[in-house]
Amino acid sequence: MNAITSDVQTVHVPLGERAYDILIGPGLIARAGVEIASRLKGRKAAVITDENVAPLYLEALVASLEEAGIVSAAVVLPAGEKTKSFEHLITACDKVLEARVERNDYVIALGGGVIGDLSGFAAGIIRRGVRFVQVPTSLLSQVDSSVGGKTGINSRHGKNLIGVFHQPDLVLADTDVLNTLSEREFRAGYAEVAKYGLIDKPDFFAWLETNWKAVFAGGSARIEAIANSCQAKADVVVADERENGQRALLNLGHTFGHALEAATAYDSSRLVHGEGVSIGMVLAHEFSARMNLASPDDARRVEQHLKAVGLPTRMADIPGELPPAETLMDAIAQDKKVKSGKLTFILTRGIGQSFVADDVPASEVISFLREKHP
């Protein structure tokens, strides 16, 4: 990582012809036009955003693009996880084509993970692939979904089951926008920050345990946490772009978390993605301890930290009733595919010692879920 200005960090993702930069710092939406125009040839863009983000940042982004000579059209979709559907994908694609965006032009995603995932999918299939710029407006999307090129929508069969790999050409993570997030949204994004420490950076997790209040407060600690998270994800993506092996480590906590999201019908009033990941990471560490792979003390340490920042850590923390353990197990089987009665999970041998386990007995998982079910 190195600075392009005194207050903006850049993380480079070296993927050959698909290489790109992630810029992290304040004021990047106001500079978006300059940054995009200096890197990309196209002079036409479709900005896809949602009804919550548009009133806050769309005007400033469009003005920045205009100043740089980029003509843009806006596509404003409903907010929320349910927007990641075929219906809204078709709407987005039609609007982008109406704007006459060509292959050297670009789709710009202005929003959180939902908008980023859907916009990236649209960019990947329109004209068999147009350029794509991420302007993530949530902590979750800045440290996770905007980086790495995984795009998609949800199906009635599960989350993110329909999509393509389509790397962005640039990511602009404006840290000023995080000041408008609710405490709940920021905490949910922080779960993904903690995840990077738990995967293979125990020193980073320890740093977060000490400095999380400063990260929440903003300033240099926040930029440092985001930059470290983006660098961690970039390293994994470069080593395994299409998730044939080690990139699966980024799913730590997600198998359980996705099942819980499906169990709540993606109702954000009950559970948002980062909250599901928080509970999922605790469950993954507890399950690892159950399988005699790690110490129960590690699971307690993970839970203690996530609980300290205000995140849910137990299924019982989710408002309302959950379906039975067997229903959760069905969602897990769909998410990770059962092969000969065995599942692939991300488990751990301790803090920062996660690994891909592709021989987890389904019988052990269902027994564990019954034990943990409220």
Side-chain angles (χ1 to χ4, degrees):
M1 289 179 291
N2 42 48
I4 59 170
T5 71
S6 60
D7 57 355
V8 176
Q9 294 289 320
T10 180
V11 173
H12 183 64
V13 185
L15 286 170
E17 293 181 353
R18 296 178 310 288
Y20 57 94
D21 287 334
I22 306 162
L23 275 58
I24 304 147
L28 286 172
I29 287 180
R31 286 174 33 197
V34 171
E35 298 296 347
I36 292 170
S38 67
R39 290 169 167 80
L40 306 178
K41 294 180 180 178
R43 288 297 176 264
K44 192 178 293 182
V47 181
I48 301 178
T49 187
D50 69 34
E51 293 169 348
N52 289 347
V53 174
L56 297 172
Y57 305 116
L58 180 58
E59 184 178 350
L61 177 60
V62 169
S64 176
L65 296 173
E66 287 181 355
E67 287 176 12
I70 299 169
V71 177
S72 65
V75 182
V76 182
L77 299 174
E81 187 72 28
K82 293 181 180 178
T83 296
K84 285 175 61 170
S85 67
F86 271 118
E87 175 190 356
H88 294 297
L89 175 68
I90 291 168
T91 298
C93 289
D94 281 346
K95 294 292 186 182
V96 173
L97 290 169
E98 280 179 22
R100 300 189 180 278
V101 168
E102 302 293 338
R103 295 184 83 175
N104 281 328
D105 297 322
Y106 26 89
V107 167
I108 301 175
L110 174 66
V114 169
I115 289 297
D117 284 358
L118 182 141
S119 302
F121 190 12
I125 58 178
I126 291 169
R127 303 191 192 280
R128 297 186 178 89
V130 300
R131 295 190 176 279
F132 178 44
V133 176
Q134 287 267 23
V135 185
T137 59
S138 68
L139 179 60
L140 179 67
S141 57
Q142 289 191 0
V143 301
D144 184 51
S145 58
S146 68
V147 181
K150 285 175 71 173
T151 73
I153 58 175
N154 301 331
S155 157
R156 64 185 178 86
H157 296 289
K159 189 176 171 78
N160 297 329
L161 293 180
I162 303 164
V164 297
F165 285 94
H166 189 60
Q167 296 290 347
D169 293 271
L170 178 66
V171 180
L172 300 173
D174 189 331
T175 53
D176 282 343
V177 305
L178 303 181
N179 296 327
T180 63
L181 294 182
S182 68
E183 287 188 19
R184 184 187 182 198
E185 287 178 291
F186 193 89
R187 285 196 300 263
Y190 181 85
E192 295 281 0
V193 175
K195 179 191 74 175
Y196 293 111
L198 294 173
I199 290 172
D200 63 357
K201 291 180 168 45
D203 290 346
F204 182 46
F205 186 74
W207 182 87
L208 290 171
E209 288 177 304
T210 302
N211 294 283
W212 70 266
K213 290 182 180 179
V215 174
F216 275 63
S220 61
R222 179 178 292 178
I223 294 172
E224 183 175 350
I226 295 171
N228 273 288
S229 298
C230 289
Q231 185 67 64
K233 181 158 189 181
D235 291 344
V236 174
V237 169
V238 169
D240 180 21
E241 183 179 359
R242 291 183 173 263
E243 201 171 79
N244 294 315
Q246 291 303 102
R247 181 167 177 169
L249 290 173
L250 296 170
N251 290 324
L252 175 65
H254 284 58
T255 299
F256 289 117
H258 283 171
L260 293 171
E261 285 184 88
T264 59
Y266 306 108
D267 181 351
S268 61
S269 69
R270 297 180 64 193
L271 189 75
V272 295
H273 177 69
E275 292 169 341
V277 170
S278 175
I279 298 169
M281 290 191 297
V282 173
L283 290 172
H285 281 78
E286 289 182 333
F287 186 70
S288 297
R290 177 191 175 97
M291 301 292 287
N292 296 316
L293 296 166
S295 167
D297 291 341
D298 293 317
R300 283 191 285 270
R301 181 179 165 193
V302 173
E303 181 172 20
Q304 182 179 21
H305 178 57
L306 295 175
K307 187 178 287 188
V309 306
L311 282 161
T313 57
R314 297 275 164 185
M315 289 192 219
D317 294 336
I318 301 171
E321 289 188 17
L322 289 175
E326 289 74 15
T327 302
L328 295 176
M329 188 65 198
D330 287 343
I332 286 172
Q334 179 67 48
D335 191 49
K336 291 300 163 195
K337 311 291 187 303
V338 178
K339 293 182 180 179
S340 302
K342 301 290 180 69
L343 289 162
T344 297
F345 266 82
I346 309 305
L347 299 180
T348 181
R349 296 185 179 91
I351 302 293
Q353 299 179 61
S354 296
F355 67 98
V356 180
D358 55 9
D359 58 351
V360 178
S363 59
E364 290 285 351
V365 179
I366 187 64
S367 175
F368 175 73
L369 287 172
R370 288 174 180 144
E371 183 182 295
K372 295 297 178 181
H373 198 284

